[in-house]
Amino acid sequence: QVQPVESGGGLVQAGGSLRLSCAASGRTFSSYSMGWFRQAPGKEREFVAAINWSGDSTYYTDSVKGRFTISRDNAKNTVYLQMNSLKPEDTAVYYCAAAIGRFGVPPSGRSEYKYWGQGTQVTVSS
């Protein structure tokens, strides 16, 4: 199994950038698809981006396409979320999660992700 731990959140002005990191313990990191989700106050946790086990397939929710980039470094057991052109509506707690299986296309459903981190707060001021 893996245990994701997020870092890199913070306060940024609209239009700015942040890079989130997710370090996952365990020797089988490359066997997992990895995803980022977010939850704003009073809202459901929603899918943001995912990457398959090898890093050659990614998937994004429409609202972040062209602004966010997910990547991974299997040698470092780490997945990243580069967030550019941030908007106030991107404000949320961001969670990293791991889905078992070497999917060709990474999953976007919450139920497919078995291991979750504790989350990191991202606040975008207007």
Side-chain angles (χ1 to χ4, degrees), residues 12-17 38 62-65 67-68 83-92 94 122-126:
V12 64
Q13 289 188 333
S17 298
R38 66 186 179 187
D62 286 346
S63 63
V64 308
K65 284 181 181 177
R67 300 189 298 123
F68 291 11
M83 305 186 294
N84 299 328
S85 302
L86 282 161
K87 305 175 180 180
E89 51 263 44
D90 294 319
T91 295
Y94 283 70
V122 171
T123 302
V124 184
S125 63
S126 57

Side-chain angles (χ1 to χ4, degrees):
Q1 66 179 45
V2 295
Q3 180 56 57
V5 178
E6 304 93 340
S7 62
L11 173 64
V12 64
Q13 289 188 333
S17 298
L18 280 176
R19 188 175 82 154
L20 304 183
S21 297
C22 172
S25 63
R27 294 182 293 177
T28 58
F29 178 74
S30 62
S31 297
Y32 296 82
S33 290
M34 301 297 295
W36 286 96
F37 292 75
R38 66 186 179 187
Q39 188 167 17
K43 294 188 176 181
E44 294 286 322
R45 191 172 299 188
E46 65 173 358
F47 170 78
V48 176
I51 188 166
N52 73 339
W53 67 277
S54 63
D56 63 2
S57 180
T58 57
Y59 185 63
Y60 300 90
T61 192
D62 286 346
S63 63
V64 308
K65 284 181 181 177
R67 300 189 298 123
F68 291 11
T69 302
I70 189 171
S71 62
R72 68 188 294 162
D73 185 339
N74 285 345
K76 296 182 178 180
N77 280 21
T78 303
V79 62
Y80 305 97
L81 186 67
Q82 177 67 44
M83 305 186 294
N84 299 328
S85 302
L86 282 161
K87 305 175 180 180
E89 51 263 44
D90 294 319
T91 295
V93 177
Y94 283 70
Y95 297 90
C96 176
I100 299 172
R102 292 187 164 185
F103 300 97
V105 176
S108 60
R110 282 181 57 185
S111 62
E112 296 176 272
Y113 288 82
K114 183 174 182 180
Y115 303 104
W116 292 81
Q118 294 300 306
T120 185
Q121 176 70 47
V122 171
T123 302
V124 184
S125 63
S126 57

